[in-house]
């Protein structure tokens, strides 16, 4: 009998060796489950797709006055992907750190003020890495960076960025989350920085931790999402709702979860994006909603733009006149000073980007086609699932340098 796991391997070497080998990490279990699911659900989908399309079209009409505009900033950072990026209210600028440039791992720090990118010279800096994440802790008024991969090691160190001194400081917590690549780091509704999941080289994680200013404390929500890494996550700071979608996992990550500061809830949106990993997400209070862009899906990078509508508890496809090219591993943040979502960098099969884009309102409505509904398998969570052993070796979800 043919081993079905063979079909998880790349069919050729067309994809660059320096790209993150995430297509190998996509779970065959998930693919086979989807095939069975759709065969049994096809009649339901046919009956429901018309009504879902009408609903999606009506919702999308409200957000049709948006467009992506490519900026031409002075002195942009060199091309890179899987960088960490967030907005720092203290300095009033977007801060970007590290990433992968196609040949090596980076540890440079950059700021963006809406017109110019500027490299910041710091007395010390986190070691070079890609697939780390960082977010702003409004209680301590510091940016918190955690995790990543440096080409050899999975990283579990914590670094703090001070926007008033423009310097990095390594924290020395007594406790810390497991060393992982691709963690999800986001503002908790209470203003602290939370981290969930990631990949430690052997297992996808489902533990959740919170930074208290000097140490990490493990949280124990009654329900948590299935273990995963490289999911898209952002916090609606107006309502205190965290939204997480997709990622890489052993257990199906094709789902949307929300967190209210106490527990996670599995949502059942009528429409949602294709399953993507390493997509970019940020909350835009002007819409209001969480914007999701791009990501990889089955080895094919995407360039679609979606919005999580908390009131309707669904995803809305945003049709824009133009769009950044398809990519994964881009940095995205909402610039509160500019009132714009900013996108930078990322990679596709041809290499890395160093372009900068902003999502803005437009003067003329753009017709929005009705997106095809994506039937969402909805498993029912109960108690917090336990990490499980993986019955086969897996490659690691991080960028790799080109083999010599």
């Amino acid at each position: 009998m043919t081993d079905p796991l063979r079909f998880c391997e790349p069919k050729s070497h067309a994809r660059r060796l320096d790209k993150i080998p995430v297509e190998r990490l996509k779970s065959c279990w998930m693919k086979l489950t989807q095939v069975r699911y759709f065969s049994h659900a096809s009649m339901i989908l046919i009956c429901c797709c018309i009504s879902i399309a009408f609903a999606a079209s009506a919702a999308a009409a409200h957000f049709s006055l948006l467009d992506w505009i490519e900026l031409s900033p002075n002195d942009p950072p060199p091309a890179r992907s899987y960088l960490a990026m967030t907005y720092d209210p203290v300095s009033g600028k977007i801060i970007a750190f590290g990433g992968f440039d196609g040949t090596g791992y980076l540890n440079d720090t950059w700021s963006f003020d809406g017109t110019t990118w500027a490299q910041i010279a710091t007395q010390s800096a986190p070691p070079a890495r890609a697939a780390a994440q960082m977010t702003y802790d409004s209680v301590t008024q510091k940016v918190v960076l955690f995790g990543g991969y440096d080409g050899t090691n999975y990283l579990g160190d914590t670094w703090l960025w001070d926007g008033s001194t423009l310097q990095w400081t390594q924290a020395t917590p007594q406790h810390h989350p497991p060393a992982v690549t691709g963690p999800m780091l986001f503002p908790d509704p209470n203003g602290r920085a939370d981290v969930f999941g990631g990949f430690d080289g052997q297992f996808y994680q489902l533990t959740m931790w919170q930074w208290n200013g000097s140490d990490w404390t493990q949280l124990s929500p009654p329900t948590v999402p299935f273990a995963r890494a490289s999911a898209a996550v952002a916090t609606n700071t107006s309502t205190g709702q965290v939204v997480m979608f997709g990622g890489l996992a052993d257990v199906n990550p094709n789902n949307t979860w929300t967190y209210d500061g106490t527990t996670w809830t599995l949502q059942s949106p009528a429409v949602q994006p294709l399953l993507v990993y390493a997509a970019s997400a940020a909350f835009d209070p002007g819409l209001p909603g969480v914007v999701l862009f791009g990501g990889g899906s089955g080895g094919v990078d995407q360039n679609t733009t979606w919005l999580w509508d908390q009131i309707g508890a669904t995803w809305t496809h945003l049709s824009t006149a133009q769009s950044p090219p398809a990519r994964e591993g881009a940095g995205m943040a909402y610039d509160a000073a500019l009132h714009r979502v900013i996108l930078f960098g990322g990679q596709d099969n041809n290499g890395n980007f160093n372009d900068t884009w902003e999502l803005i309102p437009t003067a003329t409505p753009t017709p929005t086609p009705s997106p095809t509904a994506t039937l969402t398998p909805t498993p029912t969570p109960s108690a917090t699932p336990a990490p499980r052993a993986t019955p086969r070796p897996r490659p690691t979800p991080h960028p790799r340098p080109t083999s010599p």
Side-chain angles (χ1 to χ4, degrees):
M1 179 178 179
T2 302
D3 181 4
L5 297 182
R6 290 179 57 197
F7 296 101
C8 284
E9 297 295 322
K11 295 182 179 179
S12 70
H13 294 286
R15 292 177 62 83
R16 290 167 56 93
L17 291 176
D18 58 0
K19 272 187 62 69
I20 181 172
V22 285
E23 62 270 24
R24 294 188 179 186
L25 285 167
K26 290 202 63 182
S27 169
C28 283
W29 174 91
M30 181 185 69
K31 293 179 181 178
L32 295 175
T33 299
Q34 287 178 327
V35 170
R36 293 194 296 266
Y37 185 93
F38 281 109
S39 65
H40 289 294
S42 58
M43 291 305 296
I44 297 174
L45 177 60
I46 291 171
C47 295
C48 296
C49 65
I50 296 177
S51 60
I52 291 174
F54 272 114
S57 180
H62 180 67
F63 305 109
S64 60
L65 303 178
L66 295 169
D67 197 13
W68 285 103
I69 302 297
E70 184 173 8
L71 304 179
S72 299
N74 299 323
D75 303 318
R80 67 192 62 203
S81 59
Y82 290 88
L83 64 153
M85 184 167 129
T86 194
Y87 178 72
D88 173 27
V90 175
S91 64
K93 298 177 182 179
I94 286 176
I95 304 299
F97 173 80
F100 182 70
D101 67 2
T103 59
Y105 298 85
L106 307 172
N107 77 329
D108 47 351
T109 303
W110 294 77
S111 68
F112 180 66
D113 63 5
T115 303
T116 300
W117 283 98
Q119 186 171 0
I120 303 175
T122 59
Q123 296 176 357
S124 63
R129 68 192 66 199
Q133 291 295 325
M134 62 185 184
T135 193
Y136 181 70
D137 182 332
S138 61
V139 179
T140 61
Q141 298 184 352
K142 300 286 196 302
V143 170
V144 182
L145 181 143
F146 177 80
Y149 182 78
D150 66 2
T152 304
N153 303 303
Y154 297 87
L155 304 175
D157 49 347
T158 303
W159 289 78
L160 306 177
W161 171 259
D162 188 332
S164 60
T165 62
L166 303 183
Q167 295 296 324
W168 287 103
T169 302
Q170 184 172 8
T172 55
Q174 184 177 357
H175 311 89
H176 59 82
V180 292
T181 186
M184 283 64 72
L185 195 62
F186 51 88
D188 188 277
N190 67 13
R192 295 292 190 180
D194 290 354
V195 64
F196 175 83
F199 182 70
D200 69 1
Q202 187 175 13
F203 300 110
Y204 291 100
Q205 300 294 307
L206 47 66
T207 55
M208 184 173 178
W209 297 73
Q210 184 170 110
W211 178 249
N212 67 11
S214 60
D215 200 7
W216 289 99
T217 301
Q218 186 169 354
L219 303 180
S220 300
T223 303
V224 296
F226 309 119
R228 68 191 68 199
S230 300
V233 63
T235 301
N236 183 329
T237 53
S238 299
T239 62
Q241 184 190 68
V242 180
V243 181
M244 184 169 67
F245 174 75
L248 296 166
D250 281 330
V251 178
N252 181 16
N254 189 20
N255 35 60
T256 302
W257 292 79
T258 58
Y259 178 68
D260 61 4
T262 301
T263 192
W264 290 88
T265 301
L266 179 61
Q267 299 292 329
S268 301
V271 177
Q272 71 178 18
L274 289 174
L275 170 60
V276 286
Y277 48 81
S280 305
F283 170 64
D284 186 334
L287 293 178
V290 169
V291 176
L292 181 148
F293 176 81
S297 184
V300 179
D301 293 323
Q302 306 296 307
N303 73 334
T304 51
T305 305
W306 292 79
L307 183 110
W308 173 255
D309 176 10
Q310 181 177 341
I311 296 177
T314 192
W315 289 97
T316 300
H317 177 246
L318 302 182
S319 178
T320 58
Q322 61 178 342
S323 172
R327 67 190 66 196
E328 63 188 74
M332 181 187 280
Y334 176 78
D335 189 318
L338 301 175
H339 308 289
R340 297 283 188 268
V341 167
I342 302 295
L343 179 81
F344 173 79
Q347 67 178 31
D348 65 7
N349 286 334
N350 297 315
N352 293 283
F353 295 96
N354 75 330
D355 49 351
T356 304
W357 295 76
E358 66 176 359
L359 184 65
I360 66 169
T362 58
T364 304
T366 301
T368 304
S370 301
T372 302
T374 300
L375 193 59
T376 307
T378 306
T380 302
S382 52
T384 299
R388 65 185 183 88
T390 303
R392 64 184 186 279
R394 293 172 300 187
T396 51
H398 49 69
R400 292 182 181 275
T402 304
S403 300

